[in-house]
Amino acid sequence: MRENIGFIGLGLLGMPVAANLLQAGYALTVYNRTPEKAEPLVAQGALQAVRPADAVTTGGIIVTLVWDDEALEDVVKSEDFLERLGKGGIHVSMSTVSPDTGRKLADLHARHGSVYVEAPIFGRPEAAAARQLWIPIAGPQEAKERVRPLLEAMGAKGIFDFGEEAGSAVLVKLIGNFLIVSAARSLEEALGIAERGGVDPTAAVNMLTSTLFTAPIYQNYGKMIAEKSSISESKIPQKDVGLLLSAAQNAQVPAPLSSLLLDMLVNGDRSRTY
């Protein structure tokens, strides 16, 4: 029988990931700051926790997928969370946070006898529902082996191991998101120039993404931009590019493109593709 899993954070991405776990046969106890968001999962058999610690099983696995560093720290430092997780317990953090926060929380868990594993997600909600997620992972080897089947049940198409050092997996996630945002901005600017120059943007993007730029990011965003599809704006790019720039500054690495992109996002020059 599969163990009961705690799951905290039922946003646009958390909901389909948690639903995948239920469909895979895992028993699930869920918590969300807005309790009503848990109702679809409760209808499918999940239990609902009143507070974060109530989703935790001693020595078990708790998964968090929350918005930012502050939200994650609030969960971890909430009443009884670490005490209840206890020796042998594993916290799988799937949130996109700063490497410094990852390292700090890993140390905090170790002092309480539990383990912190980073497993941020590459993939939109529709990719989660289709089980087409890519997940970088970092943490103690034994814990990673224990949670791997869980990540696969969540919808991981690929899991990439970045060692045991906390901060490594989230840094890869931040780099990836920076490249995604950069690609989207470049596509919108380039296809706008094409259209104003009398070139069919759809024909241009079809040619370019079937030859030189065959990555799904270019293909998917290029198609949406060329067709002028309506895509909801998000605060994720500004948050994540800001985190990457902070990581670069902490490491004393020049990051002029990150700085430029963040300035564009902060000052309102946001691409509708984000």
Side-chain angles (χ1 to χ4, degrees):
M1 182 177 178
R2 289 176 170 172
E3 63 183 313
N4 183 80
I5 304 298
F7 199 103
I8 297 174
L10 302 175
L12 292 176
L13 193 54
M15 180 62 75
V17 169
N20 285 346
L21 287 176
L22 281 174
Q23 292 166 13
Y26 283 91
L28 211 60
T29 300
V30 299
Y31 171 82
N32 195 74
R33 286 187 298 183
T34 306
E36 294 76 15
K37 288 189 176 181
E39 291 175 359
L41 297 176
V42 172
Q44 298 176 54
L47 299 177
Q48 185 168 6
V50 176
R51 60 190 186 123
D54 295 334
V56 177
T57 302
T58 301
I61 299 175
I62 181 74
V63 179
T64 56
L65 185 44
V66 295
W67 169 246
D68 60 5
D69 298 58
E70 182 180 1
L72 181 58
E73 291 196 58
D74 284 347
V75 167
V76 172
K77 296 177 181 178
S78 63
E79 183 182 8
D80 296 336
F81 181 91
L82 288 172
E83 289 76 12
R84 185 170 292 193
L85 186 58
K87 186 175 181 179
I90 300 175
H91 173 192
V92 181
S93 172
M94 308 192 84
S95 305
T96 303
V97 296
S98 71
D100 282 348
T101 292
R103 288 187 283 267
K104 180 168 61 176
L105 292 181
D107 290 342
L108 183 59
H109 280 73
R111 292 200 298 271
H112 285 78
S114 55
V115 177
Y116 181 83
V117 173
E118 294 176 342
I121 295 173
F122 282 107
R124 294 166 65 91
E126 56 269 28
R131 301 176 184 274
Q132 297 289 309
L133 300 174
W134 305 100
I135 301 180
I137 187 172
Q141 189 60 37
E142 186 176 342
K144 288 185 293 189
E145 291 173 0
R146 183 178 168 192
V147 304
R148 177 175 284 270
L150 187 69
L151 299 179
E152 292 171 347
M154 290 179 186
K157 184 178 181 180
I159 300 170
F160 300 84
D161 195 333
F162 284 90
E164 300 200 355
E165 183 69 27
S168 300
V170 290
L171 182 56
V172 171
K173 175 65 191 300
L174 292 174
I175 291 169
N177 280 6
F178 163 69
L179 293 174
I180 291 169
V181 177
S182 300
R185 283 295 307 165
S186 298
L187 280 164
E188 184 157 62
E189 183 170 315
L191 294 178
I193 294 170
E195 185 173 28
R196 292 297 293 270
V199 174
D200 179 358
T202 299
V205 81
N206 286 344
M207 179 266 174
L208 292 169
T209 59
S210 63
T211 54
L212 301 177
F213 303 99
T214 57
I217 290 299
Y218 283 99
Q219 293 172 339
N220 296 336
Y221 279 110
K223 183 175 184 293
M224 288 187 285
I225 293 168
E227 296 177 353
K228 296 182 171 58
S229 298
S230 177
I231 305 169
S232 298
E233 287 190 359
S234 168
K235 295 181 180 179
I236 292 174
Q238 182 176 324
K239 175 181 80 76
D240 291 355
V241 173
L243 289 174
L244 181 63
L245 183 58
S246 294
Q249 292 169 340
N250 290 341
Q252 298 183 327
V253 176
L257 292 180
S258 298
S259 181
L260 175 62
L261 186 56
L262 181 61
D263 183 65
M264 293 167 66
L265 294 167
V266 168
N267 288 299
D269 187 16
R270 298 184 179 89
S271 168
R272 58 186 172 80
T273 60
Y274 298 147

